[in-house]
Amino acid sequence: MAARILLLAALVISITCSDIAFAFDPSPLQDFCVADLQKPVLVNGYACKDPKLVKAEDFYFSGLNREGNTSNPFGSIATRITVTQVPGFNTLGISIARADFAPGGVNPPHFHPRATEILTVLKGTLEAGFVTSNPENRLFTKVLRPGDLFVAPKGMIHFQKNIGRGKAVALASLGSQNPGVVTVPNTVFGSHPKISTDILAKAFQVDQFRIQQIQKNF
């Protein structure tokens, strides 16, 4: 009887630890695990490069000082630096992005399926916000100026808009080496193949002609 109780306790601990272990990016089991981007090994992350072949350049990136091109319908652009640009990010659970905004530019509603985001404003004035999940769909929003930051929890739809008179710049720190991004309008109206117009018409409570007009923009 005692042996069964111990076995059951061990099983519960094992399941609990497994849940914790796989909840986020894989944790490093050594000082670092620089991604070997050339190996065709499919794992949760990248295979480790031989430590003897690791160089300082594997932990380095230059270019976040360069302004992004905001000449697009949204008036914003994100320069994302993930594990493919900095192999040293592998297993560390981090990445970063620079966001540039033209006056009035918007980073449209989107979410990161694998990361929480910390947005820090460097220049200009941004309105930032996120919406909680169903059924509350509660909106949290804040006006941010240089030196301010705002957190968007993992998986929550969030957005930013430049409400200042000039350009705006922000840095986004993300809690995954490969956070992913799902931009809501692009995903819903620009999928390949397209989502049926009757489904979207019912979802958005409009007629199918209006859905077709929106889909033409994507």
Side-chain angles (χ1 to χ4, degrees):
M1 187 60 155
R4 289 183 180 178
I5 292 174
L6 288 173
L7 180 61
L8 181 60
L11 180 61
V12 169
I13 292 171
S14 175
I15 293 173
T16 303
C17 290
S18 296
D19 287 345
I20 294 171
F22 291 101
F24 301 99
D25 284 4
S27 298
L29 300 177
Q30 55 278 321
D31 287 347
F32 50 77
C33 172
V34 171
D36 189 335
L37 303 177
Q38 306 305 316
K39 279 190 178 178
V41 179
L42 299 178
V43 294
N44 191 22
Y46 288 91
C48 300
K49 181 187 288 189
D50 183 340
K52 296 185 180 67
L53 302 178
V54 172
K55 300 175 291 185
E57 285 73 19
D58 291 317
F59 303 94
Y60 173 79
F61 176 85
S62 177
L64 280 177
N65 61 314
R66 299 192 193 107
E67 182 177 344
N69 183 1
T70 58
S71 299
N72 59 64
F74 295 129
S76 72
I77 190 71
T79 304
R80 299 180 179 90
I81 313 302
T82 67
V83 66
T84 54
Q85 288 78 34
V86 182
F89 282 167
N90 196 41
T91 76
L92 298 184
I94 56 171
S95 59
I96 195 168
R98 170 180 169 140
D100 287 275
F101 299 82
V106 170
N107 189 3
H110 63 283
F111 66 91
H112 305 289
R114 296 178 288 276
T116 291
E117 175 184 307
I118 301 175
L119 183 83
T120 305
V121 175
L122 303 180
K123 175 182 176 182
T125 305
L126 294 178
E127 178 186 356
F130 71 88
V131 180
T132 63
S133 57
N134 298 345
E136 286 190 339
N137 301 129
R138 187 177 175 191
L139 172 64
F140 292 87
T141 185
K142 193 75 177 173
V143 172
L144 307 177
R145 296 178 175 82
D148 295 343
L149 66 81
F150 193 74
V151 178
K154 183 169 73 171
M156 297 290 99
I157 290 177
H158 57 285
F159 59 87
Q160 299 94 35
K161 179 182 179 181
N162 182 1
I163 60 174
R165 294 182 179 179
K167 297 177 180 180
V169 180
L171 283 181
S173 304
L174 297 137
S176 172
Q177 67 185 46
N178 183 25
V181 60
V182 179
T183 306
V184 175
N186 300 60
T187 303
V188 173
F189 297 108
S191 64
H192 303 286
K194 293 188 180 300
I195 299 174
S196 175
T197 55
D198 65 316
I199 293 175
L200 294 179
K202 183 158 286 189
F204 287 94
Q205 298 294 290
V206 296
D207 58 65
Q208 293 189 43
F209 176 76
R210 188 167 298 181
I211 294 296
Q212 291 171 348
Q213 292 301 109
I214 296 174
Q215 285 179 327
K216 289 179 181 178
N217 296 324
F218 296 92

